């Protein structure tokens, strides 16, 4: 797994989980994100920020993020981050996943709007949600960056094929990985039961793998990338 080291992040970096979430790093160990409305739901609340947390500045957290996208022009990156902060500090902007293109936003439309507004045409190029941000942001000049400083060691490890009913330490390893990536399989108990089965199916679907709930070489490789 790649562990993002926040000290390597720069102002304006886009933190992306392609299935679920995105945010913008603003420096000093903080980020801006759009989270949830005042009802604890994704839509149907009042326009604007009713809680002070629908769109907010907060400390950096490991979501976990799949990757980090960085724009090469640091001046524009700083402008995008400053705009995100100004939106977070303006209570006229809240969270809504349906009415998401101003004054309210969801996580992806917030980040897309900020970059489009300062002159990087990511929305114009077709970005609409987390699932296509990676491809289109790169098309608009962003680079995927390496943020970890862990040395790579080449080694050959044979991992067993796991299916429902399997038990043991390797199943615990699988469960830790799935939970880390945000595919909830419940307690790490070493038993490949219903929750682990469903989490594997969801992970395989997210990675465009055959959804057979069999953890073989391709699924292990996706987990260990």
């Amino acid at each position: 797994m790649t562990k993002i080291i926040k000290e390597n992040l720069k102002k304006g970096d886009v933190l992306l989980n392609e299935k679920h979430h995105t945010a913008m790093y603003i420096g000093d160990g903080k980020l801006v994100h759009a989270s949830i409305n005042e009802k604890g739901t994704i839509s149907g609340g009042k326009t604007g920020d009713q809680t002070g947390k629908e769109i907010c500045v907060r400390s950096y957290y490991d979501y976990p993020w799949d990757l980090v996208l960085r724009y090469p022009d640091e001046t524009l990156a700083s402008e995008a981050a400053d705009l995100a902060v100004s939106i977070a500090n303006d209570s006229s902007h809240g969270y809504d996943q349906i009415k998401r293109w101003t004054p309210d936003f969801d996580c992806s439309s917030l980040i897309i709007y900020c970059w489009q507004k300062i002159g990087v045409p990511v929305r114009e190029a077709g970005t609409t949600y987390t699932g296509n941000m990676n491809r289109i942001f790169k098309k608009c000049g962003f680079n995927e960056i390496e943020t970890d400083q862990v040395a790579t060691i080449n080694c050959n490890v044979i991992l067993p094929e796991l299916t429902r009913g399997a038990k043991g330490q390797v199943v615990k390893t699988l469960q830790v990985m799935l939970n880390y990536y945000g595919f909830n399989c419940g307690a790490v108990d070493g038993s490949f039961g219903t929750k682990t089965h469903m989490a594997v199916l969801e992970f395989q679907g997210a990675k465009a793998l055959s959804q057979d709930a069999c953890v073989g070489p391709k699924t292990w490789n996706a987990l260990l990338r």
Side-chain angles (χ1 to χ4, degrees):
M1 302 176 196
T2 297
K3 175 73 172 179
I4 292 173
I5 299 175
K6 68 180 180 182
E7 287 76 15
N8 293 343
L9 295 172
K10 292 185 178 181
K11 187 176 182 181
D13 282 353
V14 175
L15 303 154
L16 181 62
N17 179 294
E18 293 182 86
K19 186 174 181 181
H20 297 291
H21 193 40
T22 186
M24 192 183 302
Y25 188 74
I26 61 169
D28 298 321
K30 297 185 181 299
L31 55 76
V32 169
H33 75 169
S35 179
I36 204 75
N37 70 17
E38 75 273 15
K39 295 182 177 181
T41 58
I42 62 174
S43 64
K46 294 181 180 179
T47 299
D49 195 336
Q50 312 303 314
T51 66
K53 295 181 180 180
E54 293 186 41
I55 300 175
C56 66
V57 174
R58 57 157 294 169
S59 297
Y60 171 84
Y61 56 89
D62 292 313
Y63 182 71
W65 307 111
D66 294 328
L67 54 97
V68 177
L69 296 169
R70 177 175 294 167
Y71 197 70
D73 187 322
E74 293 187 3
T75 299
L76 287 180
S78 181
E79 289 180 17
D82 289 343
L83 178 55
V85 172
S86 70
I87 290 172
N89 291 333
D90 183 347
S91 62
S92 68
H93 300 291
Y95 185 96
D96 196 304
Q97 202 172 90
I98 305 300
K99 302 174 181 179
R100 57 192 290 262
W101 291 110
T102 193
D104 288 348
F105 299 93
D106 66 359
C107 66
S108 56
S109 65
L110 171 66
I111 306 306
I112 293 165
Y113 174 86
C114 289
W115 285 100
Q116 180 74 34
K117 191 70 174 177
I118 58 96
V120 183
V122 288
R123 187 181 181 191
E124 186 178 317
T127 318
T128 54
Y129 75 118
T130 55
N132 62 14
M133 283 178 67
N134 183 18
R135 175 175 59 84
I136 297 178
F137 271 54
K138 287 177 179 176
K139 180 180 177 181
C140 292
F142 285 75
N143 299 308
E144 183 176 343
I145 65 164
E146 295 290 338
T147 63
D148 64 316
Q149 296 177 331
V150 179
T152 300
I153 300 174
N154 294 322
C155 60
N156 293 319
V157 177
I158 298 174
L159 292 166
E161 184 175 279
L162 298 177
T163 56
R164 189 166 185 168
K167 297 182 182 295
Q169 187 60 46
V170 180
V171 176
K172 287 185 178 181
T173 300
L174 169 66
Q175 291 169 328
V176 168
M177 290 178 175
L178 289 168
N179 284 336
Y180 176 85
Y181 283 117
F183 299 88
N184 181 25
C185 59
V188 178
D189 58 7
S191 179
F192 196 135
T194 301
K195 286 188 176 181
T196 302
H197 176 89
M198 296 304 299
V200 170
L201 286 174
E202 290 180 9
F203 177 81
Q204 290 174 328
K207 299 300 179 181
L209 299 171
S210 176
Q211 288 181 276
D212 55 8
C214 175
V215 183
K218 290 183 180 180
T219 301
W220 279 122
N221 286 338
L223 285 163
L224 292 167
R225 70 174 179 81

